[in-house]
């Protein structure tokens, strides 16, 4: 009976160690950081061949627009030109948008640097 108890406790401890890492969801701040890093990489690639390079300092994160989309099951993070807003509540010249899933992976990228 003691051996069975130790076996059951051992199995329980092993199963507890095999938790689902995918269940650890990121928050909007983490998603924004991941998107900023990707934006910097995308801008670097774009600027290597662009006739008019874009300065990262001319762009801004639209943190008010960072939302978790129930349809894509991802954080939608948007960037805009700092001077491209005619209305502070509505983006008019969106430069880039990234969809970041709850595990921190970028699922989709949309940008129009030209």
């Amino acid at each position: 009976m003691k051996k069975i108890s130790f076996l059951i406790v051992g199995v329980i401890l092993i199963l507890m160690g095999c938790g689902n890492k995918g269940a650890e969801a990121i928050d909007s701040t983490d998603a924004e950081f991941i998107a900023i890093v990707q934006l910097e990489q995308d801008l670097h690639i774009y600027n290597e061949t662009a006739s008019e390079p874009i300065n990262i300092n001319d762009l801004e994160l639209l943190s008010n627009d960072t939302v978790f989309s129930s349809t894509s099951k991802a954080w939608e993070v948007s960037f805009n030109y700092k001077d491209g807003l005619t209305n502070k509540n509505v983006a008019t010249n969106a430069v880039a948008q990234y969809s970041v899933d709850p595990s921190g992976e970028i699922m989709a990228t949309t940008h129009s640097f030209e």
Side-chain angles (χ1 to χ4, degrees):
M1 190 62 149
K2 261 187 172 178
K3 289 183 181 182
I4 293 175
S5 313
F6 284 119
L7 181 62
I8 291 173
V9 170
V11 169
I12 290 172
L13 290 175
I14 290 172
L15 291 176
M16 286 175 56
C18 298
N20 183 2
K21 295 276 186 190
E24 297 175 14
I26 63 170
D27 63 8
S28 63
T29 305
D30 295 331
E32 289 172 352
F33 177 77
I34 292 165
I36 288 169
V37 170
Q38 186 63 48
L39 175 67
E40 289 173 348
Q41 293 173 359
D42 291 347
L43 271 178
H44 177 73
I45 292 168
Y46 171 77
N47 286 340
E48 286 179 347
T49 58
S51 59
E52 293 184 35
I54 298 172
N55 186 337
I56 189 88
N57 295 324
D58 293 337
L59 303 177
E60 66 182 343
L61 168 68
L62 300 175
S63 59
N64 290 341
D65 290 346
T66 299
V67 295
F68 189 80
S69 169
S70 59
T71 54
S72 66
K73 305 287 190 247
W75 289 99
E76 302 296 333
V77 183
S78 300
F79 297 89
N80 208 7
Y81 285 112
K82 286 182 180 177
D83 62 355
L85 294 175
T86 55
N87 178 340
K88 291 186 177 190
N89 298 320
V90 179
T92 56
N93 291 323
V95 174
Q97 184 172 8
Y98 297 92
S99 297
V100 183
D101 74 10
S103 70
E105 295 294 320
I106 295 180
M107 298 171 38
T109 301
T110 305
H111 49 72
S112 57
F113 296 134
E114 287 93 37

